[in-house]
Amino acid sequence: MSLPPAWFDPAEATGLLIPFAIYYALHDALVKPMPGNAMAPSLAESWSASPDGLTYEFVLRQGVRFHNGDPLTADDVKFSFERYRGVSAKVLKERHPEASADAGIHLARSRFLL
């Protein structure tokens, strides 16, 4: 069995179910659904949302490293957010053209403005 290269890149998510099994095995997210919990901590140890649901702040888990040993930082989260071109990217950009990720808060925090 061969896999399309795009299936290894969550920024190119097509919305098909099969690639998500690959993403889940190879990549991690700030939060993710787990049994009995619609959104559970993962790379983020905690998060908060503004009352209007347009600003989200994530506190990154300490000690997380990439496969090459580099630490995970808010700059990495910002890069991934800005790089996303998957199935929902068009809707996100149409509904929230001002959406951005701010890594300047602190190396261990990342804020998303929708």
Side-chain angles (χ1 to χ4, degrees), residues 30 44 46-50 54-60 102 105-106 108-113:
L30 293 173
S46 64
W47 64 95
S48 61
S50 64
L54 296 178
T55 303
Y56 295 82
E57 186 167 318
F58 297 88
V59 176
L60 302 181
D102 180 7
I105 302 164
H106 186 275
R109 290 183 182 263
S110 192
R111 179 180 294 149
F112 294 90
L113 306 171

Side-chain angles (χ1 to χ4, degrees), residues 15-53:
L16 298 174
L17 185 58
I18 294 170
F20 282 99
I22 305 295
Y23 302 151
Y24 203 78
L26 297 178
H27 303 280
D28 215 340
L30 293 173
V31 297
K32 62 184 177 185
M34 295 296 283
N37 195 346
M39 283 297 133
S42 193
L43 294 177
E45 62 185 31
S46 64
W47 64 95
S48 61
S50 64
D52 62 6

Side-chain angles (χ1 to χ4, degrees), residues 73-93:
T73 68
D75 285 329
D76 299 312
V77 175
K78 180 178 192 252
F79 172 82
S80 295
F81 179 80
E82 291 174 347
R83 183 175 175 274
Y84 177 66
R85 299 178 301 272
V87 69
S88 298
K90 183 178 178 189
V91 172
L92 175 64
K93 288 177 175 67

